[in-house]
Amino acid sequence: MICTLLSIFSFFSSAMAANRERTFIMIKPDGVQRGLVGKIIKKFEQKGFKLVALKFMWPSEELLQKHYADLSSKPFFPGLVKYMSSGPVVPMVWEGLNVVKTGRVLLGATNPADSAPGTIRGDLCIQVGRNICHGSDAVESAKKEIDLWFTEKEQISWTPANESWVYED
Ligand code: UDP
Ligand code: MG
């Protein structure tokens, strides 16, 4: 009996933990300058993901060098840091089931020339060096990026009123 209760509890708690995956999404300076902030946020809201952190800031080159450290040897790195620090951005944390992978699907392929119509990049931009948004590529990198851009206090735990209409449990 106790075993059954424990396994039911662990089933529900692991399902809930899966729903609490988090990703780091950022609207880049071109997305802000082009007035696409609301449109990009709307895609994530309408999908059913939960916003847990958001701010508006002009990031330093130092912060962007840390954010893109894995790409520091790439020939496009200096241009990337210059582009990303050229104006304000909207960093965000979104939460939900498979949000890292699905978030990347919503954004579309890195190069907008390859992004499917219907995706954010597929519909709203043309060149890889002006691709308007960022999304973490794995759960581990998402954790690192979230910690780089947000404090614990800036991440809000809350229950959306529609939660039971988005998830089965
Ligand atoms: N980028 C670029 N030229 C390239 C590849 C990437 O300017 O040939 C930029 C582009 O803005 C991209 C960012 O570098 O979004 C980070 O590259 P990554 O491969 O991590 O793509 P992402 O994860 O953003 O899809
Ligand atoms: Mg990347």
Side-chain angles (χ1 to χ4, degrees), residues 57-105:
M57 62 183 281
W58 194 319
S60 66
E61 286 193 15
E62 193 193 354
L63 176 60
L64 291 159
Q65 279 157 358
K66 280 189 196 152
H67 174 77
Y68 282 125
D70 290 353
L71 300 174
S72 60
S73 62
K74 301 279 183 191
F76 59 82
F77 183 73
L80 174 61
V81 171
K82 192 167 170 236
Y83 152 55
M84 290 297 299
S85 60
S86 66
V89 296
V90 181
M92 298 173 274
V93 179
W94 286 88
E95 185 179 281
L97 184 64
N98 293 324
V99 70
V100 171
K101 187 164 174 264
T102 307
R104 299 269 296 185
V105 174

Side-chain angles (χ1 to χ4, degrees), residues 19 52 75 155 164:
N19 295 358
V52 299
Q155 299 169 50
S164 62

Side-chain angles (χ1 to χ4, degrees), residues 133-154:
C133 49
H134 166 83
S136 310
D137 62 8
V139 173
E140 272 314 298
S141 53
K143 285 200 178 92
K144 267 198 227 162
E145 292 173 0
I146 291 167
D147 286 347
L148 181 64
W149 290 84
F150 290 98
T151 63
E152 286 264 332
K153 267 193 156 179
E154 288 172 323

